[in-house]
Amino acid sequence: MNKQSTVDFDHQLHQLWLDYRNGNLAVLEDIFDKLMPFCLRVCSKTCGKYIYDNDDEASIARLALVEALDKYDPDKGSMPVFIGQVIRNRIIDYKRKESKQSIISFNLRSKGVGRIEEEVDESFFEEIIDSIARKQEIDKLKSLLQSFDISFEELTRLSPQQNKTRQSAQNIAGIIAADEALQSYLLRKKALPLKELEENWQINRKLADRYRKYIIMVVLIYINDFPLLKDYILPMKGGRADES
Amino acid sequence: MKAKKGIVVESGKNKAIILLPGGEYRKVRTGGKYLEAGDLYEYNNTPMIKYAVAAVLLLVLIAGGIDYNLVKAYASLGSDLELGINRWGRVVSVQAKSPEGQQILDSVEIKNDTIEFAVKRISEQVKEEGTINPQGIRENLKVITKGKSNLDFANKIIKEMEKGLEKADKKNIKEIEKDLRKADKRNKNESKNNNESGNSQNIKEPPQKSNSYLPIMGKQSVNQGGSDNGRGKDPAGKKIEKQSPVNNQPKDEQSIKKDDPKNETPAKINELKNKQIIHQNNRDKQDNQDKDKDRKANKD
């Protein structure tokens, strides 16, 4: 879990909440902008399905958010955890009500409600905050890759499968990210500077060309500073990935 | 192998693309689990090939077991026995259609044996017990196959069964030949014994007379196992010498007869008796001739 992202998020929310508590209702819009992805993800995780902005659960989450902002007390702990807990409880109440009215199918009643009522701890909400932070990085990387006409689907096929080859590709990416000339060539021409790499760095041209899409992806993560994703594309220690 | 935690970078309905530590991208099946980009996913790196190989082996074993026990043809041995045969020509089921057949099956274990061996065993057992007519089995060999395209298989089974019967017959013939040889030996010994006992009864002359037929007896003694001339001087000694093999012989003969009373057929006994009578007559004639010679010699 990334503690830093949780603390930052918590701090920003606390500032907004103080403004709201002091009667600044205009700040409510900022709070919604900031918290809605979190609220929707809490809904999705609770229901076990993707919740869109116009779903019933999203409306319940909005009402629950306002309720949580009114009831929040700094002594009750972290604000996102508190908000998440309130939203989750409201969603569970809604699901129970729905099952009593027999609106949902038998399948959902038998499986869904029982499962969503499982108790969760703080780490559940902290993990949601982290995953939102990671998602932001992924979305940004995805848009950058699109400009190079690369998709994640392609990367699964074109990535080096062997550890040694992957490390070689990551080393090439490191050389490009560290050299401004090579970096600017890549961003300008949307292609790897194979000739320069071969002449100046004695890089195997065949290898660089074969895994060019993977190398570009790694360069983009290095030069755009994606702290959460960077941990995942760093060369492995002792030839093995850090297993958790 | 420990599971790795990867980041979900893209998620679909049942599939997701994850970025694993070390920069490896993998496409995984989520099995309907709700995942969104940014979520952590526990990836178990155990090669699927291991499970696949294990599953295939298990499947082959199960399928092999089922296939082995699957009856492809039924072989009828007369009207008393029915054997279920698998595709490899092995007996996988046995069924008796009569109490006699059940008696045979109780005494032989033929399951998993080749049809040839099973038929041989049954045939031998049938001959031994004598409850079923062996000829009935031979004349009523039938193979019923499942499906139309199994004619070759049926022919093959029939051939195997015939082979089994032939082998059983050969074995039986050998045993009969052995028994006959034994019976012949016994008969020969018996006849010799009778001859010798006949001779001993005829020798009533004084010791001086006995010298006249010494050469003849000498020949006989050579034929019967040998005797020295020194002993020939003593008539009592001569008797012992002649009888010794004969005296021993009846004991053996009796023991064999007790052991195997079936070996003696009435026809053979008659034949033997005839032989003995002829032999006895010849011997009497010879003795009379000898006596005449002695008398002539005495007169001279």
Side-chain angles (χ1 to χ4, degrees), chain A residues 57-219:
Chain A
E57 286 87 350
S59 307
I60 291 161
R62 277 188 205 97
L63 292 170
L65 177 58
V66 176
E67 185 193 334
L69 288 172
D70 290 338
K71 285 183 178 174
Y72 180 66
D73 184 351
D75 295 339
K76 286 178 180 174
S78 164
M79 193 179 172
V81 172
F82 179 76
I83 293 168
Q85 199 68 61
V86 172
I87 292 168
R88 188 177 155 80
N89 289 339
R90 295 295 160 266
I91 293 291
I92 291 168
D93 290 344
Y94 168 72
K95 288 284 175 192
R96 267 193 207 139
K97 210 174 173 182
E98 211 176 28
S99 69
K100 275 180 189 170
Q101 289 171 350
S102 301
I103 296 166
I104 58 167
S105 69
F106 175 78
N107 191 34
L108 256 171
R109 259 189 292 164
S110 59
K111 287 181 183 176
V113 179
R115 188 175 57 77
I116 64 170
E117 283 180 13
E118 286 170 9
E119 279 191 20
V120 290
D121 56 4
E122 281 186 22
S123 64
F124 176 81
F125 302 104
E126 285 168 355
E127 178 50 39
I128 289 174
I129 295 162
D130 285 346
S131 71
I132 290 167
R134 283 193 292 266
K135 189 180 185 301
Q136 284 168 356
E137 285 188 15
I138 290 162
D139 288 342
K140 207 172 164 188
L141 176 66
K142 200 174 179 179
S143 63
L144 282 170
L145 287 172
Q146 272 172 356
S147 65
F148 284 85
D149 202 20
I150 299 168
S151 67
F152 286 124
E153 181 82 28
E154 272 180 308
L155 285 170
T156 56
R157 283 185 283 111
L158 303 172
S159 296
Q161 296 298 309
Q162 298 294 319
N163 273 346
K164 210 175 167 184
T165 322
R166 208 159 42 240
Q167 278 180 15
S168 303
Q170 285 163 357
N171 288 338
I172 296 167
I175 291 165
I176 297 167
D179 192 301
E180 275 190 24
L182 296 175
Q183 210 183 101
S184 62
Y185 180 95
L186 174 72
L187 295 172
R188 197 175 62 251
K189 299 227 173 174
K190 308 281 182 198
L192 288 181
L194 293 172
K195 199 179 172 186
E196 286 84 348
L197 283 169
E198 194 181 17
E199 285 174 0
N200 302 331
W201 301 90
Q202 286 79 47
I203 296 293
N204 184 349
R205 191 187 175 115
K206 206 175 169 184
L207 180 101
D209 192 37
R210 191 172 179 185
Y211 300 114
R212 65 181 184 282
K213 291 197 174 180
Y214 182 79
I215 294 167
I216 291 169
M217 183 275 295
V218 178
V219 172

Side-chain angles (χ1 to χ4, degrees), chain B residues 12-285:
Chain B
K13 216 173 185 183
N14 270 319
K15 286 177 185 174
I17 297 167
I18 57 165
L19 174 62
L20 291 166
E24 188 184 357
Y25 281 92
R26 286 265 173 178
K27 198 184 251 184
V28 292
R29 287 177 188 274
T30 56
K33 192 182 170 187
Y34 163 73
L35 285 172
E36 259 189 83
D39 283 350
L40 287 179
Y41 180 82
E42 210 158 273
Y43 175 70
N44 197 353
N45 201 21
T46 310
M48 282 300 286
I49 191 87
K50 278 185 187 174
Y51 293 117
V53 167
V56 166
L57 278 174
L58 197 72
L59 210 71
V60 165
L61 279 173
I62 292 167
I66 292 168
D67 195 38
Y68 183 84
N69 287 308
L70 209 69
V71 174
K72 204 182 174 190
Y74 287 98
S76 291
L77 299 170
S79 56
D80 303 291
L81 294 163
E82 192 177 80
L83 311 178
I85 302 152
N86 68 6
R87 65 165 69 240
W88 291 283
R90 288 194 175 260
V91 178
V92 286
S93 71
V94 284
Q95 200 186 345
K97 291 183 171 177
S98 66
E100 289 84 9
Q102 189 58 50
Q103 201 181 330
I104 298 288
L105 290 181
D106 287 343
S107 48
V108 288
E109 183 55 53
I110 51 168
K111 222 170 177 188
N112 300 323
D113 284 336
T114 58
I115 184 70
E116 184 189 325
F117 187 71
V119 169
K120 187 185 160 219
R121 289 283 305 277
I122 288 170
S123 180
E124 284 167 12
Q125 196 62 30
V126 162
K127 276 165 193 165
E128 203 177 302
E129 290 192 6
T131 49
I132 300 171
N133 181 16
Q135 202 58 31
I137 290 178
R138 183 177 288 281
E139 284 167 5
N140 290 307
L141 285 181
K142 273 182 204 168
V143 174
I144 304 153
T145 53
K146 286 179 177 177
K148 290 175 185 174
S149 59
N150 291 325
L151 204 68
D152 291 342
F153 184 71
N155 287 332
K156 193 184 152 192
I157 294 296
I158 286 277
K159 276 180 190 173
E160 296 276 313
M161 287 164 79
E162 282 170 351
K163 263 189 202 176
L165 284 173
E166 273 173 27
K167 279 188 180 177
D169 286 349
K170 274 181 190 173
K171 199 181 170 186
N172 206 31
I173 288 164
K174 275 181 188 175
E175 276 174 8
I176 289 166
E177 281 174 355
K178 208 177 168 183
D179 290 345
L180 279 173
R181 258 182 255 129
K182 275 183 186 176
D184 280 347
K185 266 187 184 178
R186 269 200 306 278
N187 292 336
K188 277 178 190 174
N189 290 332
E190 212 172 70
S191 63
K192 280 174 191 173
N193 188 22
N194 288 336
N195 290 341
E196 281 160 12
S197 62
N199 287 340
S200 64
Q201 282 169 3
N202 291 329
I203 300 165
K204 289 172 182 174
E205 287 77 15
Q208 294 86 357
K209 286 178 184 176
S210 67
N211 289 336
S212 61
Y213 58 81
L214 262 176
I216 300 164
M217 296 316 293
K219 277 179 190 174
Q220 284 174 347
S221 67
V222 168
N223 290 336
Q224 288 165 1
S227 67
D228 54 60
N229 293 328
R231 285 180 192 171
K233 287 174 185 174
D234 183 12
K238 273 178 200 167
K239 276 184 185 174
I240 293 159
E241 182 72 282
K242 284 171 196 169
Q243 283 172 353
S244 60
V246 178
N247 287 339
N248 293 336
Q249 200 61 34
K251 280 179 190 172
D252 295 340
E253 219 173 88
Q254 279 167 1
S255 65
I256 291 162
K257 276 180 184 173
K258 275 176 192 172
D259 292 340
D260 198 359
K262 285 180 189 175
N263 289 332
E264 286 295 342
T265 57
K268 276 183 184 175
I269 291 164
N270 287 333
E271 196 183 307
L272 279 169
K273 279 178 180 174
N274 291 334
K275 275 183 183 178
Q276 282 170 10
I277 291 159
I278 293 160
H279 207 73
Q280 191 67 38
N281 291 336
N282 292 337
R283 179 63 61 192
D284 291 340
K285 279 179 185 175

